[in-house]
């Protein structure tokens, strides 16, 4: 425990570590017995090979895992910040996800098992999926789309969303998926930044029983998107009153359904852009993160196989929307390159009731479930009875992604969903990294609640201070990646300067993740939150997640977000925003929570303010928006009735970011 005297140097960029978490869960022996990676020695060998002979290791992986129309001349060319992988080679991600599986004899395996929010269902085998992808690609060619053209996709989570992504990949068009909740303004910004030529959308989508008119939003965006020539519209809802602009708009059923569906995949350069995905940093306009074909495809596939221990009979469900990177890498490219059977669900987790996810797990006998802490915390809040109604015994592995998972939420996931028998893979990664970077390997890693444990083969993390020097053991610092990996971003679309400044200028030669982390005595990594979110109390730099986890370990607390606000005496004071269950939001609870944190992690970390809120402001992908809460903590007014519970959700609605 650091003392509160302020003796630590305030110029040091190290972060004090205050939360002690010593529970440890070895993998169940039955799991290890059948696992793809089943011994520590096997992992160590892979890790050492990748670290000591990078090019040799990835050469072998690329040959084994991807189809090559033309072999590459060189495995990797790297001069920070620019990386090229499998230089001179030609492959195709759609071929790797479809044709390669069909050629391997699994064409009749279900690729997508889909359920819409109203309960309609559809299954597509790999062979059927290829036909649909080819038809869509053939229609895109008729609409004038070719290699290198950008296609914006603004679609519900229907099979057609995956189909359009793979159809772009088939002809070398660059997809830019825009989550179907963003505003017209955001769509227009993204269309213009990328120079999109085609937008693919639908007449609407179902969300909590209501219809959202997607095409109407797209029409508004297209009025401000001069580069877009056509709009391809899927009839999802059956809305007959969708205005179609002659010469610009075409119905999917008019131009896709009648195609032959036989188009061969175009051989594409390894470094051809596969997609752009926009993500916002804490400031500024969204960045178009650019990923390329071969390296990304290989990274998505290998990380999927390593982390999810995939077997032929698995039914795998990643609950992410394809509007996020998790949907790109772990709904489409990773699992499909590996020939997995993926469940896809269109709607909300609480429609028609709070047990929809568990109903789906039971109905489709899902064996691997990959979801986010924000969902897990919602399930906890909704109550265990929704879970207990269902038979979840098909599950054998659970995953988490997107934010740190508080140890108490981890324990709930482990006990209530996993029945104490499923390993949990807490996967740390980013849009920029293309795929998972750190995660337990479920057959071998003893997990600790809240830790993403160890790096995958090919990932060389370093934790450094602002001068680039490694921090002391068990102290937090900036998490960097020291060596290139195949799935790394290749740049920000149209903004090379920002790419350098954001990721490569702070610590020369290394990729700066923007997260803080520490490594414990077992060599496990613990993500401590974003660099910008560190709170400096009397010269001690504290991690948001540690204070939040201490709060969440109190039975009355569901979710917590802490931020720093100015304090004349201490530099910064800690302001906590909490959502609660089965408790009164009163002064007594406030006092109790402060004491609870003090007991858990020390006086220094005791929040100065505790505010009870009905909801926390979140990005559309479910991350807590601490930046907004900083404004609130330092005095920004909140509209609405604040007499009992503050409602901060309206704040998030004002910010179209993710
Ligand atoms: C955070 C999502 C702790 C982190 C794949 C990262 C996590 C950012 C974890 C990237 C995790 C993601 N533990 N923090 N397991 N996974 N994060 O680009 O701050 O949406 O930098 O990619 O989410 O978010 P993005």
């Amino acid at each position: 425990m650091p003392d509160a005297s302020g003796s630590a140097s305030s110029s040091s960029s190290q972060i004090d570590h205050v939360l002690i978490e010593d529970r440890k869960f070895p993998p169940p022996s039955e799991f290890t017995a059948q696992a793809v990676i089943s011994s520590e020695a096997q992992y160590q060998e892979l890790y050492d090979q990748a670290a000591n002979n990078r090019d040799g290791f990835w050469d072998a992986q690329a040959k084994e895992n991807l189809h090559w129309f033309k072999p590459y001349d060189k495995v990797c060319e790297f001069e920070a910040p620019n990386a090229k992988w499998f230089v001179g080679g030609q492959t195709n991600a759609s071929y790797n996800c479809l044709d390669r599986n069909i050629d391997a004899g699994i064409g009749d395996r279900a690729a997508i098992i889909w359920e819409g929010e109203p309960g309609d269902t559809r299954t597509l085998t790999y062979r059927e999926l290829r036909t649909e992808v080819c038809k869509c690609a053939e229609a895109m060619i008729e609409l004038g789309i070719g290699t290198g053209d950008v296609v914006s996709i603004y679609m519900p989570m229907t099979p057609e969303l995956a189909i359009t992504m793979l159809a772009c990949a088939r002809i070398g068009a660059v997809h830019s998926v825009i989550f179907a909740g963003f505003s017209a303004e955001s769509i227009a910004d993204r269309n213009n930044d990328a120079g999109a030529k085609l937008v693919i959308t639908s007449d609407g989508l179902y969300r909590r029983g209501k219809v959202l008119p997607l095409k109407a939003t797209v029409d508004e965006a297209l009025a401000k998107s001069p580069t877009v020539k056509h709009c391809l519209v899927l009839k999802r809802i059956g809305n007959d009153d969708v205005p179609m602009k002659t010469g610009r708009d075409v119905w999917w059923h008019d131009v896709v359904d009648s195609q032959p569906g036989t188009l061969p995949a175009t051989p594409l350069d390894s470094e051809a852009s596969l997609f752009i995905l926009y993500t916002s940093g804490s400031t500024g306009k969204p960045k178009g993160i650019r990923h390329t074909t071969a390296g990304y495809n290989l990274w998505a596939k290998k990380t999927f196989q390593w982390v999810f221990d995939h077997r032929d009979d698995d039914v795998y469900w990643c609950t992410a929307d394809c509007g996020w990177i998790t949907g790109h890498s772990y709904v489409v490219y990773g699992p499909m390159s590996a020939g997995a059977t993926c469940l896809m669900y269109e709607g909300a987790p609480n429609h028609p009731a709070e047990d929809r996810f568990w109903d789906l797990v039971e109905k489709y006998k899902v064996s691997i479930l990959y979801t986010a802490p924000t969902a897990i915390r919602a399930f906890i809040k909704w109550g265990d009875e929704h879970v207990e109604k269902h038979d979840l015994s098909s599950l054998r592995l659970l995953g988490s992604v997107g934010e740190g998972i508080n140890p108490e939420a981890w324990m709930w996931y482990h006990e209530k969903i996993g029945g104490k028998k499923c390993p949990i893979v807490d996967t740390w990664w980013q849009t920029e990294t293309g795929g998972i970077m750190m995660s337990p390997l479920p057959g071998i890693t003893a997990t600790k609640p809240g830790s993403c444990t160890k790096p995958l083969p090919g990932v060389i993390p370093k934790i450094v201070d602002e001068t680039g020097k490694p921090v002391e053991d068990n102290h937090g610092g900036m998490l960097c990646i020291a060596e290139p990996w195949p799935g790394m971003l290749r740049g920000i679309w149209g903004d090379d300067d920002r790419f350098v400044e954001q990721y490569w200028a702070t610590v020369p030669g290394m990729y700066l993740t923007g997260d803080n982390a520490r490594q414990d005595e077992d060599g496990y990594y613990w993500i401590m939150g974003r660099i910008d979110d560190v709170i400096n109390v009397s010269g001690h730099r504290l991690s948001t997640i540690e204070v939040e986890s201490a709060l969440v370990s109190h039975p009355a607390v569901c979710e917590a977000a802490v931020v720093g606000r100015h304090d004349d005496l201490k530099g910064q004071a800690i302001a906590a925003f909490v959502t609660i269950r089965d408790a009164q939001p009163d002064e007594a609870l406030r006092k109790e929570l402060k004491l609870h944190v003090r007991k858990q992690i020390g006086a220094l970390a005791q929040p100065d303010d505790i505010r009870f809120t009905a909801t926390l402001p979140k990005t559309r992908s479910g991350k807590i928006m601490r930046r907004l809460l900083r404004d609130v903590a330092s005095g920004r007014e909140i509209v609405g009735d604040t007499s009992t519970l503050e409602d901060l959700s309206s704040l998030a609605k004002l910010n179209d970011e993710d």
Side-chain angles (χ1 to χ4, degrees):
M1 257 297 301
D3 67 27
S5 65
S7 59
S9 153
S10 54
S11 65
S12 159
S13 53
Q14 290 195 162
I15 302 163
D16 295 319
H17 149 56
V18 289
L19 185 76
I20 308 294
E21 173 55 65
D22 47 20
R23 288 171 288 195
K24 205 168 174 175
F25 297 85
S29 48
E30 320 79 78
F31 196 100
T32 307
Q34 56 74 56
V36 177
I37 296 180
S38 58
S39 74
E40 187 61 34
Q42 205 185 339
Y43 161 74
Q44 205 55 50
E45 197 186 322
L46 285 174
Y47 192 83
D48 292 346
Q49 275 177 12
N52 301 331
N53 177 15
R54 182 189 70 199
D55 290 2
F57 178 81
W58 289 113
D59 184 28
Q61 294 292 347
K63 290 198 170 110
E64 187 188 323
N65 286 287
L66 300 181
H67 170 81
W68 293 97
F69 293 101
K70 176 170 173 271
Y72 44 86
D73 311 310
K74 203 170 172 198
V75 174
C76 177
E77 240 174 58
F78 179 64
E79 199 176 324
N82 299 308
K84 285 185 179 161
W85 284 84
F86 312 112
V87 187
Q90 286 185 342
T91 183
N92 182 297
S94 145
Y95 190 98
N96 291 318
C97 290
L98 303 168
D99 306 63
R100 202 169 181 270
N101 289 325
I102 295 165
D103 294 346
I106 59 165
D108 296 327
R109 180 182 293 173
I112 298 176
I113 300 174
W114 175 79
E115 186 163 311
E117 197 186 74
D120 43 342
T121 63
R122 217 170 131 195
T123 298
L124 288 161
T125 64
Y126 274 97
R127 202 184 309 282
E128 290 164 344
L129 182 61
R130 179 174 65 180
T131 304
E132 297 304 313
V133 167
C134 289
K135 285 183 178 182
C136 180
E138 286 154 353
M140 279 202 267
I141 291 173
E142 276 184 17
L143 292 172
I145 298 301
T147 303
D149 289 335
V150 176
V151 175
S152 293
I153 301 175
Y154 186 74
M155 298 265 283
M157 271 296 274
T158 52
E160 284 79 4
L161 175 45
I163 289 167
T164 53
M165 290 166 73
L166 289 165
C168 288
R170 198 151 189 95
I171 60 173
V174 183
H175 59 71
S176 164
V177 183
I178 303 168
F179 176 65
F182 278 120
S183 64
E185 199 66 40
S186 300
I187 305 170
D189 285 350
R190 285 156 172 77
N191 284 342
N192 291 327
D193 188 75
K197 278 176 77 174
L198 171 69
V199 174
I200 306 182
T201 189
S202 71
D203 56 347
L205 65 74
Y206 293 105
R207 194 75 187 168
R208 275 188 202 95
K210 293 207 178 73
V211 169
L212 296 188
L214 294 192
K215 173 65 164 54
T217 310
V218 167
D219 281 340
E220 209 184 315
L222 290 186
K224 295 181 218 146
S225 309
T227 60
V228 176
K229 302 286 171 262
H230 289 287
C231 180
L232 175 59
V233 190
L234 174 79
K235 201 169 250 193
R236 163 66 186 128
I237 304 296
N239 250 349
D240 284 330
D241 56 355
V242 173
M244 298 290 279
K245 188 169 165 186
T246 317
R248 186 193 71 185
D249 301 347
V250 285
W251 284 110
W252 181 285
H253 52 263
D254 286 340
V255 296
V256 176
D257 290 354
S258 53
Q259 299 289 342
T262 53
L263 185 78
T266 308
L268 296 169
D269 192 272
S270 295
E271 283 298 328
S273 297
L274 176 62
F275 66 85
I276 318 170
L277 185 57
Y278 284 87
T279 170
S280 82
S282 44
T283 51
K285 71 172 177 102
K287 311 176 279 257
I289 303 298
R290 186 171 79 91
H291 282 288
T292 58
T293 301
Y296 168 82
N297 195 170
L298 182 61
W299 190 249
K301 177 175 180 184
K302 282 319 295 176
T303 53
F304 173 78
Q305 289 175 325
W306 284 329
V307 172
F308 295 106
D309 187 60
H310 176 252
R311 293 193 319 216
D312 287 347
D313 58 352
D314 276 316
V315 177
Y316 161 85
W317 184 22
C318 168
T319 68
D321 190 285
C322 287
W324 316 121
I325 190 68
T326 308
H328 282 61
S329 304
Y330 300 108
V331 175
V332 180
Y333 292 108
M336 291 189 188
S337 308
T341 294
C342 309
L343 177 66
M344 201 172 168
Y345 167 60
E346 177 186 37
N350 54 355
H351 188 83
E354 281 83 357
D355 67 340
R356 186 67 186 267
F357 271 26
W358 317 121
D359 182 53
L360 288 162
V361 167
E362 180 173 1
K363 181 167 170 193
Y364 295 102
K365 301 204 167 28
V366 172
S367 57
I368 305 172
L369 175 70
Y370 190 30
T371 193
T374 183
I376 296 167
R377 293 186 305 246
F379 300 137
I380 297 174
K381 193 168 185 177
W382 292 338
D384 295 356
E385 64 273 20
H386 302 294
V387 178
E388 285 156 6
K389 266 198 246 164
H390 294 279
D391 174 8
L392 306 183
S393 60
S394 57
L395 288 170
R396 66 180 193 96
L397 178 59
L398 303 175
S400 171
V401 60
E403 281 184 295
I405 176 164
N406 306 116
E408 287 320 309
W410 193 103
M411 289 303 299
W412 183 90
Y413 199 28
H414 170 70
E415 287 171 9
K416 302 289 177 198
I417 306 303
K420 300 189 185 163
K421 71 173 174 59
C422 303
I424 295 180
V425 288
D426 175 0
T427 62
W428 174 82
W429 59 294
Q430 311 177 294
T431 303
E432 292 87 340
T433 68
I436 299 169
M437 299 293 273
M438 297 206 242
S439 169
L441 293 177
I444 61 165
T445 312
T447 49
K448 300 184 189 184
S451 168
C452 59
T453 75
K454 298 263 184 99
L456 294 181
V459 177
I460 319 286
K462 295 267 187 269
I463 300 176
V464 300
D465 68 14
E466 247 131 29
T467 64
K469 281 208 297 291
V471 296
E472 291 164 38
D473 277 353
N474 240 331
H475 278 70
M478 297 188 292
L479 176 63
C480 294
I481 311 293
E483 293 288 333
W485 67 100
M488 67 197 284
L489 78 165
R490 299 298 196 267
I492 295 178
W493 192 264
D495 201 342
D496 293 343
D497 292 345
R498 193 166 173 205
F499 175 54
V500 173
E501 185 204 329
Q502 186 102 36
Y503 304 107
W504 302 93
T506 314
V507 185
M510 286 198 233
Y511 167 77
L512 180 78
T513 66
D515 284 346
N516 286 311
R518 78 179 165 91
Q519 207 178 0
D520 71 13
E521 49 291 346
D522 293 333
Y524 281 30
Y525 288 84
W526 298 74
I527 304 297
M528 300 177 93
R530 300 292 296 168
I531 291 172
D532 301 340
D533 291 337
V534 168
I535 305 174
N536 193 327
V537 182
S538 309
H540 291 272
R541 290 166 50 89
L542 299 175
S543 122
T544 46
I545 184 102
E546 294 197 337
V547 183
E548 288 162 7
S549 289
L551 281 162
V552 171
S553 73
H554 188 283
V557 177
C558 289
E559 285 195 294
V562 306
V563 296
R565 65 154 172 81
H566 176 76
D567 183 272
D568 284 339
L569 209 60
K570 300 190 281 189
Q572 281 193 314
I574 300 177
F577 296 81
V578 296
T579 65
I580 54 175
R581 60 180 160 158
D582 305 331
Q584 283 308 312
D586 56 16
E587 205 43 50
L589 182 60
R590 220 171 249 133
K591 214 174 198 169
E592 194 180 316
L593 292 180
K594 287 184 185 179
L595 285 174
H596 179 76
V597 175
R598 189 189 186 100
K599 214 167 97 211
Q600 294 280 310
I601 57 178
L604 184 76
Q606 176 179 312
D608 297 79
D609 313 336
I610 295 211
R611 297 169 72 155
F612 298 111
T613 105
T615 51
L616 291 170
K618 295 195 184 155
T619 63
R620 286 178 172 75
S621 68
K623 291 189 211 303
I624 295 169
M625 292 162 118
R626 292 185 187 74
R627 187 174 54 79
L628 279 185
L629 292 174
R630 272 202 291 274
D631 293 349
V632 176
S634 55
R636 174 169 161 175
E637 249 181 73
I638 303 168
V639 260
D641 176 16
T642 58
S643 56
T644 49
L645 289 181
E646 296 179 273
D647 185 359
L648 302 174
S649 59
S650 56
L651 286 177
K653 295 205 184 83
L654 300 175
N655 286 262
D656 205 4
E657 74 167 63
D658 206 294

